[in-house]
Short mmCIF file of all heavy atoms in Angstrom, two decimals:
data_model
loop_
_atom_site.label_atom_id
_atom_site.label_comp_id
_atom_site.label_asym_id
_atom_site.label_seq_id
_atom_site.Cartn_x
_atom_site.Cartn_y
_atom_site.Cartn_z
N THR A 126 14.54 5.25 -35.70
CA THR A 126 15.29 5.32 -34.59
C THR A 126 14.65 4.90 -33.25
O THR A 126 14.90 5.27 -32.24
CB THR A 126 15.80 6.73 -34.44
OG1 THR A 126 14.74 7.73 -34.53
CG2 THR A 126 16.94 7.09 -35.49
N ASP A 128 10.97 4.17 -30.74
CA ASP A 128 9.84 4.92 -30.24
C ASP A 128 10.28 6.14 -29.45
O ASP A 128 11.25 6.22 -28.99
CB ASP A 128 9.10 3.98 -29.22
CG ASP A 128 8.42 2.74 -29.78
OD1 ASP A 128 8.17 2.78 -31.10
OD2 ASP A 128 8.26 1.83 -29.14
N MET A 130 10.23 8.42 -26.50
CA MET A 130 10.01 8.05 -25.13
C MET A 130 10.11 9.23 -24.15
O MET A 130 9.93 9.14 -22.94
CB MET A 130 10.97 6.95 -24.71
CG MET A 130 12.49 7.23 -24.90
SD MET A 130 13.52 5.79 -24.49
CE MET A 130 15.16 6.70 -24.54
N ARG A 263 24.78 2.20 -38.12
CA ARG A 263 23.44 2.85 -37.88
C ARG A 263 22.67 3.09 -39.12
O ARG A 263 21.54 3.48 -39.08
CB ARG A 263 23.69 4.10 -37.09
CG ARG A 263 24.46 3.97 -35.82
CD ARG A 263 24.60 5.32 -34.99
NE ARG A 263 25.40 5.10 -33.80
CZ ARG A 263 25.02 4.63 -32.64
NH1 ARG A 263 23.62 4.16 -32.56
NH2 ARG A 263 25.72 4.49 -31.67
N LEU A 307 13.09 15.67 -28.27
CA LEU A 307 12.38 14.49 -28.74
C LEU A 307 13.31 13.31 -28.65
O LEU A 307 14.12 13.05 -29.59
CB LEU A 307 11.80 14.64 -30.19
CG LEU A 307 10.97 15.91 -30.41
CD1 LEU A 307 10.73 16.11 -31.86
CD2 LEU A 307 9.72 15.81 -29.66
N ASP A 308 13.29 12.66 -27.48
CA ASP A 308 14.22 11.57 -27.14
C ASP A 308 13.65 10.28 -27.46
O ASP A 308 12.59 9.85 -26.98
CB ASP A 308 14.44 11.62 -25.63
CG ASP A 308 15.63 10.84 -25.11
OD1 ASP A 308 16.15 10.06 -25.86
OD2 ASP A 308 15.98 11.02 -23.98
N VAL A 309 14.26 9.58 -28.49
CA VAL A 309 13.80 8.26 -29.04
C VAL A 309 14.69 7.24 -28.47
O VAL A 309 15.64 7.55 -27.68
CB VAL A 309 13.80 8.32 -30.55
CG1 VAL A 309 12.73 9.17 -31.03
CG2 VAL A 309 15.23 8.72 -31.14
N GLN A 310 14.44 6.03 -28.81
CA GLN A 310 15.22 4.89 -28.21
C GLN A 310 16.66 4.88 -28.78
O GLN A 310 17.56 4.33 -28.02
CB GLN A 310 14.50 3.53 -28.56
CG GLN A 310 13.21 3.27 -27.79
CD GLN A 310 12.51 2.13 -28.35
OE1 GLN A 310 12.11 2.01 -29.37
NE2 GLN A 310 12.42 1.12 -27.40
N GLU A 311 16.86 5.38 -29.86
CA GLU A 311 18.30 5.59 -30.42
C GLU A 311 18.61 6.94 -30.67
O GLU A 311 18.64 7.41 -31.85
CB GLU A 311 18.35 4.68 -31.75
CG GLU A 311 18.05 3.18 -31.62
CD GLU A 311 18.11 2.47 -32.88
OE1 GLU A 311 18.88 2.90 -33.80
OE2 GLU A 311 17.42 1.44 -32.97
N GLY A 312 18.89 7.62 -29.66
CA GLY A 312 19.28 9.06 -29.80
C GLY A 312 18.21 10.02 -29.52
O GLY A 312 17.26 9.82 -28.70
N SER A 313 18.34 11.18 -30.16
CA SER A 313 17.45 12.29 -29.80
C SER A 313 17.41 13.33 -30.93
O SER A 313 18.46 13.47 -31.67
CB SER A 313 17.70 12.92 -28.52
OG SER A 313 16.78 13.90 -28.12
N VAL A 314 16.31 14.05 -30.99
CA VAL A 314 16.27 15.26 -31.85
C VAL A 314 15.99 16.46 -31.05
O VAL A 314 15.22 16.29 -30.08
CB VAL A 314 15.05 15.06 -32.98
CG1 VAL A 314 14.90 16.35 -33.69
CG2 VAL A 314 15.39 13.90 -33.86
N TYR A 315 16.72 17.53 -31.25
CA TYR A 315 16.56 18.69 -30.45
C TYR A 315 16.17 19.91 -31.35
O TYR A 315 16.63 19.97 -32.52
CB TYR A 315 17.80 19.10 -29.64
CG TYR A 315 18.64 17.87 -29.24
CD1 TYR A 315 19.58 17.28 -29.96
CD2 TYR A 315 18.39 17.39 -27.87
CE1 TYR A 315 20.27 16.24 -29.47
CE2 TYR A 315 19.12 16.36 -27.50
CZ TYR A 315 20.09 15.77 -28.25
OH TYR A 315 20.73 14.61 -27.75
N VAL A 328 20.70 16.47 -33.98
CA VAL A 328 20.45 15.06 -33.86
C VAL A 328 21.66 14.29 -33.31
O VAL A 328 22.81 14.60 -33.78
CB VAL A 328 20.16 14.48 -35.24
CG1 VAL A 328 19.99 12.91 -35.25
CG2 VAL A 328 18.83 15.06 -35.76
N THR A 329 21.43 13.31 -32.49
CA THR A 329 22.40 12.37 -32.12
C THR A 329 21.72 11.04 -32.36
O THR A 329 20.55 10.81 -32.20
CB THR A 329 22.87 12.40 -30.69
OG1 THR A 329 23.95 11.41 -30.48
CG2 THR A 329 21.75 12.19 -29.66
N LEU A 330 22.52 10.09 -32.81
CA LEU A 330 22.08 8.69 -33.03
C LEU A 330 22.58 7.82 -31.87
O LEU A 330 22.31 6.44 -31.95
CB LEU A 330 22.48 8.17 -34.33
CG LEU A 330 22.04 8.94 -35.64
CD1 LEU A 330 22.69 8.43 -36.87
CD2 LEU A 330 20.56 9.03 -35.67
N ASP A 331 23.15 8.26 -30.92
CA ASP A 331 23.71 7.57 -29.73
C ASP A 331 23.02 7.92 -28.48
O ASP A 331 23.03 9.00 -27.91
CB ASP A 331 25.17 7.78 -29.60
CG ASP A 331 25.87 6.91 -28.61
OD1 ASP A 331 25.25 6.27 -27.80
OD2 ASP A 331 27.19 6.68 -28.70
N GLN A 332 22.21 6.95 -27.93
CA GLN A 332 21.40 7.16 -26.74
C GLN A 332 22.25 7.61 -25.51
O GLN A 332 21.89 8.37 -24.76
CB GLN A 332 20.55 5.97 -26.42
CG GLN A 332 19.52 6.22 -25.29
CD GLN A 332 18.67 7.30 -25.62
OE1 GLN A 332 18.22 7.52 -26.85
NE2 GLN A 332 18.13 8.08 -24.69
N ARG A 333 23.47 7.01 -25.47
CA ARG A 333 24.35 7.38 -24.31
C ARG A 333 24.73 8.91 -24.38
O ARG A 333 24.98 9.40 -23.31
CB ARG A 333 25.59 6.58 -24.34
CG ARG A 333 25.42 5.09 -24.23
CD ARG A 333 26.68 4.38 -24.66
NE ARG A 333 27.14 4.80 -25.93
CZ ARG A 333 28.42 4.46 -26.44
NH1 ARG A 333 29.22 3.78 -25.73
NH2 ARG A 333 28.78 4.79 -27.67
N GLN A 334 24.74 9.39 -25.55
CA GLN A 334 25.19 10.89 -25.73
C GLN A 334 24.06 11.85 -25.83
O GLN A 334 24.38 13.04 -26.16
CB GLN A 334 26.04 10.89 -26.95
CG GLN A 334 27.26 9.87 -27.01
CD GLN A 334 28.34 10.32 -26.05
OE1 GLN A 334 28.41 11.45 -25.57
NE2 GLN A 334 29.20 9.33 -25.71
N VAL A 335 22.94 11.63 -25.41
CA VAL A 335 21.73 12.45 -25.47
C VAL A 335 22.03 13.85 -24.86
O VAL A 335 21.84 14.87 -25.43
CB VAL A 335 20.46 11.79 -25.11
CG1 VAL A 335 19.37 12.82 -24.95
CG2 VAL A 335 20.02 10.80 -26.11
#
Side-chain angles (χ1 to χ4, degrees):
T126 50
D128 295 335
M130 59 183 188
R263 301 186 184 279
L307 303 173
D308 192 349
V309 290
Q310 290 173 294
E311 298 179 28
S313 186
V314 175
Y315 321 91
V328 173
T329 183
L330 301 176
D331 189 336
Q332 188 59 33
R333 301 167 303 168
Q334 301 293 338
V335 165

